[in-house]
Amino acid sequence: MPSPALSPAARLRGLKPDWLSDPKVWRTEILAGLVVALALIPEAISFSVIAGVDPAIGLFASFTMAVTLSIVGGRRAMISAATGAVALVIGPLNREHGFGYLVAAVILGGVFQILLGALGVAKLMRFVPRSVMVGFVNALAILIFMAQVPEMTDVPWPVYPLIVGGLALMVFFPKVTRVIPAPLVSIIVLTVMTVAAGIAVPTVGNKGALPSSLPVPGLPDVPFTLATLTTIAPYALAMALVGLMESLMTAKLVDDITDTRSNKTRESIGQGIANIVTGFFGGMGGCAMIGQTMINVRVSGARTRLSTFLAGAFLMVLCIVFGPVVSDIPMAALVAVMVMVSFATFDRHSIAPQTLKRMPAGEITVMVLTVAVVVATHNLAIGVVVGTLTAMVVFAKRVAHLADVTAVVDPDGTQVVYRVTGELFFASSNDLVTRFNYATDPDKVVIDLSATHVWDASSVAALDAIETKYAQRGKTVEITGLNDPSAHLHRKLSGELANSH
């Protein structure tokens, strides 16, 4: 029986975002956006310092990145803003050539990201193994915690009880009610306490002056010449790659937390669009912010684009309208929030003794190496690349050992059948040539490949070398059992690789 046609009103209701039809979702998204906006302010200012620009530049970038990606991004509820990774990449360009070149590099970096997204760079995420992903998450948690250490050293003693009080509020307040996010309660309570009691501790205002007006669009102040392009292109490409790596890894992490899928290609192109918009508004560029995303998704429970949009919108409202109030927020309150995020992010199950006993040594090595490289370089992208390459080497070595050769000589001694099992590729085929008795075998040799698959040119070259060695002794070789793809590759390359072997 055909389903009844929906009325126009019903169709319109179906197109409504969740937050318009559900007051609980609406409330959660608004409060999550507010908490994230508060947490973004000191981070954006800190990253501005790393890049060597005015604090307002980092705050403008966080505003434009979040708002733009709430519309064009591929992962709902993910937060993108000015980040330390991008600041580290483009900071040297600003110091050597000036702010105009930095802005031009951000715009070009956005163009590169759109091109990379269109070319399908997001599909490379399938090659990131689980052990690298776990290492990435744990390294992220460590970096978030390490970033708070400077805020806890050489500070007045009241900072420490304030941090402990903030953590206690975030642990116990959800037992009372979850209507208001515990981090927001913690920030408000600690701010009221320090202001009312006149406690002298570092505040957001000590990090730098907040902007007093909205950013104005304009072109970068650089000569539009080939020399400018060659100067900014390497920085722009590095920024594009680092930004996409962090954003796609963060999107994958949010996918796992929320049990939903996201459009990684759309996210890649969206990151590019957001950086172009940010550049034209004089921002320093950015990418997905993992710490703030965890506040939004894991701690506050946000799931829609509204929280991302409001994080950027609230950021500007807080800076421009409520600047004096925001400046009085003690850094201890925000440090407590980020410490809580680091504990929530760390995958404690991955280092439990029972887990480590069951895990293969190679996967533990990959996870530890990923963490070590990220923590040493403070660059998540480098850690992921090193971890993934190591995982591939470990996998290749493991699979190579599975390739085996067994020989059966006919009773009459006229022929020998070698049966090859396992996968033949560059790592396993290197030893294949040594597994045959060229001198003592009978005149007819059969190589049965029905229990294997030929994957690459190295394997075909190894088979050619075996045939050549037997031919030099006047013996014939018959290769049997090739499946269709292996047979096609063998026909295509056999006899053509002698010079390369």
Side-chain angles (χ1 to χ4, degrees):
M1 181 178 176
S3 57
L6 291 173
S7 67
R11 282 199 298 269
L12 187 60
R13 282 196 300 272
L15 292 173
K16 279 185 180 181
D18 293 341
W19 53 270
L20 275 179
S21 54
D22 188 340
K24 285 185 179 178
V25 174
W26 183 77
R27 183 180 62 239
T28 298
E29 300 297 310
I30 290 176
L31 293 174
L34 180 56
V35 174
V36 171
L38 288 167
L40 275 173
I41 293 171
E43 296 264 310
I45 294 173
S46 298
F47 299 143
S48 300
V49 173
I50 293 172
V53 298
D54 189 80
I57 304 302
L59 292 163
F60 287 155
S62 298
F63 163 60
T64 52
M65 289 291 297
V67 169
T68 305
L69 277 160
S70 70
I71 301 166
V72 301
R75 172 65 258 176
R76 290 183 297 173
M78 191 165 79
I79 304 296
S80 290
T83 57
V86 170
L88 286 168
V89 170
I90 61 176
L93 179 64
N94 179 57
R95 286 187 284 274
E96 292 170 21
H97 298 279
F99 180 65
Y101 282 81
L102 180 148
V103 172
V106 169
I107 295 170
L108 183 59
V111 173
F112 283 149
Q113 287 178 328
I114 292 173
L115 292 174
L116 289 167
L119 290 171
V121 71
K123 293 176 182 175
L124 295 176
M125 289 303 296
R126 72 182 70 176
F127 295 107
V128 178
R130 183 187 176 278
S131 53
V132 173
M133 192 69 194
V134 172
F136 167 84
V137 170
N138 289 345
L140 159 66
I142 293 169
L143 285 185
I144 291 173
F145 183 83
M146 287 173 61
Q148 311 315 310
V149 173
E151 304 295 339
M152 296 186 279
T153 53
D154 298 324
V155 291
W157 70 264
V159 167
Y160 303 110
L162 285 172
I163 292 173
V164 172
L167 289 170
L169 274 170
M170 284 182 282
V171 170
F172 295 110
F173 186 79
K175 299 180 188 299
V176 178
T177 179
R178 291 183 177 271
V179 173
I180 305 173
L184 181 58
V185 173
S186 178
I187 292 168
I188 293 171
V189 169
L190 294 188
T191 303
V192 171
M193 280 177 56
T194 53
V195 173
I199 302 171
V201 290
T203 63
V204 170
N206 298 139
K207 285 284 182 181
L210 302 180
S212 57
S213 61
L214 287 170
V216 178
L219 293 173
D221 184 17
V222 293
F224 292 88
T225 62
L226 185 60
T228 300
L229 182 62
T230 55
T231 300
I232 66 173
Y235 294 94
L237 182 58
M239 173 196 149
L241 292 171
V242 168
L244 282 184
M245 178 76 75
E246 292 213 16
S247 299
L248 293 174
M249 289 294 288
T250 306
K252 192 170 188 292
L253 181 59
V254 177
D255 288 354
D256 293 341
I257 292 171
T258 61
D259 289 326
T260 57
R261 295 183 65 184
S262 59
N263 188 331
K264 306 295 188 302
T265 298
R266 178 176 171 179
E267 183 60 40
S268 302
I269 295 171
Q271 288 285 333
I273 295 170
N275 273 305
I276 291 172
V277 171
T278 297
F280 281 122
F281 275 94
M284 58 180 274
C287 61
M289 288 196 79
I290 305 167
Q292 273 65 21
T293 298
M294 289 300 100
I295 293 174
N296 198 45
V297 174
R298 178 165 272 171
V299 179
S300 301
R303 292 293 182 270
T304 77
R305 296 179 184 274
L306 179 62
S307 58
T308 307
F309 175 84
L310 289 178
F314 281 150
L315 175 66
M316 280 294 100
V317 172
L318 288 168
C319 290
I320 296 169
V321 181
F322 300 102
V325 176
V326 172
S327 296
D328 286 335
I329 295 174
M331 284 302 300
L334 299 172
V335 168
V337 171
M338 297 311 291
V339 168
M340 196 69 179
V341 169
S342 71
F343 280 113
T345 303
F346 195 88
D347 186 353
R348 288 179 289 280
H349 176 71
S350 67
I351 60 169
Q354 286 184 329
T355 305
L356 295 176
K357 282 180 187 176
R358 296 172 183 169
M359 286 273 285
E363 296 203 19
I364 294 173
T365 302
V366 169
M367 180 182 74
V368 172
L369 184 64
T370 303
V371 172
V373 172
V374 171
V375 172
T377 63
H378 284 242
N379 191 317
L380 292 160
I382 294 175
V384 170
V385 170
V386 171
T388 302
L389 291 175
T390 305
M392 288 179 177
V393 172
V394 169
F395 173 76
K397 287 185 69 176
R398 188 186 303 162
V399 175
H401 289 308
L402 298 178
D404 196 22
V405 179
T406 54
V408 178
V409 181
D410 277 6
D412 58 7
T414 56
Q415 77 170 19
V416 60
V417 178
Y418 284 93
R419 181 174 173 80
V420 182
T421 58
E423 304 298 314
L424 287 184
F425 65 113
F426 63 89
S428 59
S429 61
N430 285 335
D431 295 332
L432 190 66
V433 181
T434 64
R435 305 293 296 274
F436 294 82
N437 299 314
Y438 303 100
T440 58
D441 278 343
D443 290 344
K444 185 175 181 185
V445 178
V446 177
I447 302 176
D448 180 7
L449 300 178
S450 57
T452 188
H453 185 99
V454 178
W455 286 102
D456 58 9
S458 296
S459 304
V460 176
L463 293 171
D464 283 355
I466 293 166
E467 289 189 81
T468 300
K469 286 180 181 293
Y470 277 116
Q472 288 169 349
R473 293 168 174 80
K475 301 174 182 181
T476 59
V477 175
E478 180 186 358
I479 295 175
T480 64
L482 285 168
N483 58 33
D484 289 342
S486 299
H488 174 73
L489 185 67
H490 188 259
R491 282 195 304 271
K492 184 178 176 183
L493 297 180
S494 183
E496 303 294 328
L497 303 169
N499 292 333
S500 61
H501 182 72

